[in-house]
Amino acid sequence: MNTTEYHDVLPRVTAALAACKGDREAAYAMPHRGDLENVARCARLALISARIAAWWAVLARETYRQGGPHALLFGQAVIVAEHAERDHARFWRDSAADWQARAERRPTSDAAGSLSNWAELGVSA
């Protein structure tokens, strides 16, 4: 890959990440007073985080293809960002599932912490 192609990818990734940042801010502002509102909000945040992770993956791939003296360092940094966003996506998916379970009066996961509704449902561990 030549440097020109790599530099064509940078503006696309930058624009996409900026759009995702705006989407994330809008999702954080979504109503979240009730269980179902929390489901929608968490599901939206999971989708956005997954999208951000995918854009970081595009940048990582192009960074390694481009090569050069800084490719290894930059590539590793981008992969760290990608994995962090994957973790965020997983957290938000799990949160959405827990809120959905709560809305359906089912036990939430042990990982839900303060969301855990086992006591109010009369369920013992």
Side-chain angles (χ1 to χ4, degrees):
M1 167 176 255
N2 68 41
T3 305
T4 304
E5 290 174 16
Y6 178 71
H7 290 295
D8 291 343
V9 171
L10 293 178
R12 286 190 1 231
V13 172
T14 301
L17 290 174
C20 288
K21 180 182 179 193
D23 291 344
R24 181 177 272 166
E25 289 169 1
Y28 280 137
M30 289 174 68
H32 55 282
R33 290 188 183 102
D35 295 342
L36 294 178
E37 287 178 340
N38 274 303
V39 171
R41 181 175 182 258
C42 291
R44 182 74 180 138
L45 287 164
L47 179 67
I48 294 164
S49 291
R51 189 176 302 138
I52 292 169
W55 280 111
W56 282 127
V58 167
L59 186 58
R61 186 173 48 251
E62 296 305 319
T63 298
Y64 284 116
R65 272 192 211 164
Q66 186 263 342
H70 304 296
L72 182 61
L73 178 64
F74 292 157
Q76 288 173 344
V78 173
I79 288 171
V80 167
E82 176 192 354
H83 287 220
E85 283 302 328
R86 279 192 205 162
D87 288 344
H88 291 154
R90 186 177 308 113
F91 167 81
W92 289 116
R93 275 192 312 274
D94 291 348
S95 294
D98 283 333
W99 282 111
Q100 185 67 47
R102 188 174 178 85
E104 295 171 359
R105 309 281 303 153
R106 292 184 290 113
T108 58
S109 71
D110 288 337
S114 64
L115 285 181
S116 183
N117 60 346
W118 289 32
E120 70 186 51
L121 295 175
V123 177
S124 61

